[in-house]
Amino acid sequence: KQWYQREYGVLAVVLFVFGIGFCSGGGEYMIAVFDYYGMNIPILILALCECIAVGWVFGTENMSLAIEDMQGSRPSKFFTICWKYISPGLLMVPLPQLPAPYPPTI
């Protein structure tokens, strides 16, 4: 047995048990709570960090070479412009609104 098979099994069971709550009778309420208060802001910040890492740290040229190595053809110039400028710029648009407090739900 590989060392990671046990860890993947434990992870699968934990995520299954966590997901059961969303399928039960109160699942609609849990989905509404997660949708409203859940990971919107952290995912936005994580996506921005990922775009900056790909576009500026790793570099668009290295990313294009990696994609060419995997697929056999380089991505178009449009994608390199998106990785470096457009995607990070669009992800920065809602950042000034982050400090705004959430209104109460009840």
Side-chain angles (χ1 to χ4, degrees):
K1 272 186 146 179
Q2 298 276 335
W3 65 270
Y4 54 82
Q5 286 179 336
R6 179 176 35 121
E7 283 79 7
Y8 284 147
V10 169
L11 179 66
V13 169
V14 168
L15 292 177
F16 174 77
V17 170
F18 181 71
I20 287 291
F22 289 96
C23 300
S24 66
E28 187 175 337
Y29 175 72
M30 287 179 62
I31 289 173
V33 168
F34 269 75
D35 185 41
Y36 191 75
Y37 290 108
M39 305 296 275
N40 297 333
I41 294 169
I43 286 178
L44 176 72
I45 293 171
L46 200 72
L48 178 61
C49 291
E50 185 177 342
C51 284
I52 291 171
V54 168
W56 295 96
V57 177
F58 185 64
T60 55
E61 183 63 28
N62 288 336
M63 188 68 173
S64 296
L65 289 173
I67 291 174
E68 181 181 15
D69 187 38
M70 289 183 278
Q71 293 185 342
S73 63
R74 290 177 69 93
S76 68
K77 200 69 168 163
F78 170 76
F79 286 106
T80 59
I81 292 170
C82 282
W83 292 329
K84 203 161 194 167
Y85 303 108
I86 296 174
S87 295
L90 289 176
L91 287 169
M92 283 188 221
V93 169
L95 287 181
Q97 300 172 1
L98 292 183
Y102 284 109
T105 57
I106 299 176

